[in-house]
Amino acid sequence: MTAPVPGKHLLRRGFASIRRMVALHPRSFAVAVVGAAVFALATVAGSWALGRVVDRVIVPRFSEGGVDGGTVAATLALVLGIGVVKAAGIVVRRVFATITQASVQATLRSQLVERYQAVPYRFHRRRPAGELLSHAGNDADAATEILGPLPYATGVVVIIMASALWMVVTDPFLSLVGAAVFPTLVVLNLRYQRRVDQPAERAQREIGHTSAVAHESFDGALVVKALGAEAIEGARFGRAADELRDAKIRVAEIRAGFEAVLDALPALGIVAVLVVGAWRVDAGAISTGTVVAFVSLFTVLVFPLRLIGYLLGELPSAMVGLARIDAVLAEPADPRHAITVSAAAAAAGAAGGARVEIDRLWCAHEAGRPALAGVTATIEAGRTVAVVGATGSGKSTLLLCIAGLLDPDAGEIRLDGRRLATLGVDELRREVATAFQEAFLFGDTVAENILLGVADDALVPSARLAGADTFTEMLPRGYATVVGERGATLSGGQRQRIALARALARRPRLLLLDDATSAVDPTTEARILAALAGELGATTTVVVANRPSTMALADEVLFLDAGHLVAHGTHQGLQATNPAYARLVRAYELDRADRTARPAGSSPP
């Protein structure tokens, strides 16, 4: 996802963006600006003091052969005092500017993560994880990079204003040099930021793309190594890195030319000050110390003026980063997050299983290709229902819709007569729990992966029901064992049983199992499902089934074909009356028999 920034009115929009970020933590920024203002005034005062030293100490020393000790002490105290004030201003500015930048970064990242959690599931299906990480990482950094030196830039404005006032009061002729140099620098800065706008946006976009490719490659390391695709993935990442390199080089080329001119202008200004100043000294209009003060001021202003150029150069990147963050924050949250249930109503929740009504349900992941086409069915409370169909028939999509994770395009689902869309997130997650085929585990302990916010007393019973207690008790630290990122230290079947225990820990009234026991052997699966039926008899269970044994355990079967519900009945009844269902069951049985008879480690013919 990109958020291009148009070229017109860039400064106005840039300052509006800065105001928005500063408004998140205004107090620390205000303190940093005060420190910058103190530093700025001390800088101008330092140049003035240098002129006084020249006129009262250095020139008299050479012209008169000596200087009064009191005068030397007074000028020394003046210079030291200004230096101490200037140093204090620097410390205050730097500390509080850093606090402001870090605080705004933290706030933006928190807002992003909260939005990631609040948006509907479709949002995450459309965007790779690497892109979302780039928003919370690179984009937040780019957006706030300008805040660190920003207080210094306000100090530069104070320096320029104070310098201009002092120059005009001291000598109008020499002030004309500053009047020529400063506007020229401003014009150059404006031209630069217009030229660097689009290249900076491209560079920020390529950072997100490169992050997405890297994350995908690392996340799929097992597949890459298993298929020997290291070279292919390396080449894919290399192309993304090359695009990022080219984009950054283009920005650097533009900046390099601009900075060369920016360095030259103050130097030319100093030359002009010396020429005009010598003429004014000869005319007796000003002193030598005044010329030295002017030259010192121009020398001191070189870096601050470069800082303004740096800020204007960073402004496009900051705006792009903030625009990309805003695009995420503008995503509408799941309306269910706004629905609240009173504590009394929550405590008085219905007991037993939930009754599910599916009414003319349509859902498409891509336009023109419905995954579900007018599905209508009723699942009575306490029943165990198997959802059966060939690959791509819409089984997982149906469970996602029943779970409230995927909003249908048409039709509706009712839970105990209440429309699913009217249930708040908290209530829905209390009523419905889902375990998926791809069991995702956090890099935490077994206990934390199962509980995930549920009371501790649910840990052991849930693990026992899911068949996870047998292997967990043999782990080095039992339930306190850290399973590694995505549960990498466990087998697929072990991960699935922990994920199933996580769903059971919530004691839901509706349990959805999306082929959640596919990685365990049929005997273990039958034992788990029998335990569920025995201890969760009142719970309504909907399970995606790819094994005849699972279908046989169900009270009834929903048979899907290409998104359509083509049959609804018992396993035995459908086998006898529906040829397509019978063929699918035979195919599953033959596949199981083939895998059972095949020697370990061999491949199918």
Side-chain angles (χ1 to χ4, degrees), residues 580-599:
Y581 181 79
R583 284 195 300 271
L584 184 64
V585 173
R586 283 197 299 272
Y588 285 144
E589 289 174 341
L590 289 173
D591 178 66
R592 177 188 171 190
D594 178 63
R595 285 186 283 108
T596 302
R598 191 185 310 143

Side-chain angles (χ1 to χ4, degrees), residues 67 136 196 210 288 329 446 544 557 595:
V67 182
V196 83
T210 303
T288 303
L329 298 180
V446 173
V544 170
V557 173
R595 285 186 283 108

Side-chain angles (χ1 to χ4, degrees), residues 230-524:
E230 292 91 344
I232 296 174
E233 282 300 297
R236 188 162 75 104
F237 182 79
R239 288 191 295 272
D242 288 344
E243 291 292 331
L244 176 58
R245 176 203 61 203
D246 294 343
K248 284 186 168 290
I249 287 176
R250 179 56 185 154
V251 173
E253 288 173 346
I254 297 173
R255 176 174 291 174
F258 167 77
E259 289 186 349
V261 177
L262 188 62
D263 280 342
L265 270 178
L268 294 174
I270 290 173
V271 172
V273 165
L274 290 174
V275 172
V276 175
W279 166 62
R280 296 290 287 164
V281 170
D282 285 341
I286 59 175
S287 67
T288 303
T290 301
V291 176
V292 171
F294 268 76
V295 171
S296 170
L297 197 57
F298 266 78
T299 303
V300 168
L301 284 175
V302 171
F303 178 74
L305 289 173
R306 288 191 64 180
L307 179 67
I308 292 180
Y310 169 78
L311 283 175
L312 291 174
E314 290 298 315
L315 191 58
S317 296
M319 292 181 62
V320 169
L322 189 59
R324 286 164 60 88
I325 291 173
D326 284 343
V328 175
L329 298 180
E331 288 284 338
D334 188 332
R336 295 186 183 92
H337 283 272
I339 302 173
T340 58
V341 179
S342 67
R355 184 174 189 266
V356 182
E357 298 172 83
I358 305 167
D359 186 11
R360 293 168 292 180
L361 200 68
W362 287 79
C363 187
H365 302 300
E366 298 179 16
R369 298 180 60 185
L372 296 174
V375 174
T376 297
T378 299
I379 302 172
E380 296 297 338
R383 303 284 283 177
T384 296
V385 177
V387 181
V388 179
T391 301
S393 59
K395 305 185 296 295
S396 295
T397 301
L398 177 61
L399 259 67
L400 287 173
C401 290
I402 295 175
L405 295 172
L406 197 61
D407 291 326
D409 300 310
E412 66 179 20
I413 297 174
R414 293 183 290 275
L415 207 64
D416 293 330
R418 300 173 59 193
R419 293 176 56 243
L420 209 64
T422 65
L423 301 181
V425 169
D426 292 340
E427 184 179 10
L428 187 60
R429 299 296 168 253
R430 188 175 59 251
E431 299 281 308
V432 184
T434 309
F436 302 97
Q437 178 181 11
E438 184 179 347
F440 179 89
L441 299 185
F442 298 94
D444 208 329
T445 65
V446 173
E448 288 301 321
N449 269 287
I450 292 176
L451 295 173
L452 207 62
V454 177
D456 292 349
D457 57 4
L459 176 62
V460 175
S462 301
R464 179 178 52 79
L465 267 178
D469 57 332
T470 53
F471 70 85
T472 298
E473 291 169 357
M474 293 187 293
L475 294 174
R477 298 184 60 196
Y479 289 99
T481 301
V482 176
V483 298
E485 185 179 5
R486 291 180 173 267
T489 60
L490 303 177
S491 70
Q494 291 171 334
R495 289 197 295 271
Q496 279 195 336
R497 279 179 273 180
I498 289 177
L500 177 58
R502 180 164 58 204
L504 296 173
R506 279 135 184 84
R507 285 294 187 266
R509 298 178 59 233
L510 174 60
L511 178 64
L512 306 176
L513 305 178
D514 186 3
D515 209 9
T517 54
S518 61
V520 300
D521 61 86
T523 303
T524 302

Side-chain angles (χ1 to χ4, degrees), residues 22-43:
V22 168
L24 296 174
H25 296 276
R27 292 184 180 178
S28 57
F29 181 77
V31 175
V33 168
V34 171
V38 170
F39 162 78
L41 295 174
T43 298

Side-chain angles (χ1 to χ4, degrees), residues 177-193:
V177 178
V181 172
F182 294 156
T184 304
L185 289 171
V186 172
V187 170
L188 283 173
N189 277 302
L190 291 174
R191 289 191 60 185
Y192 165 67
Q193 52 87 13

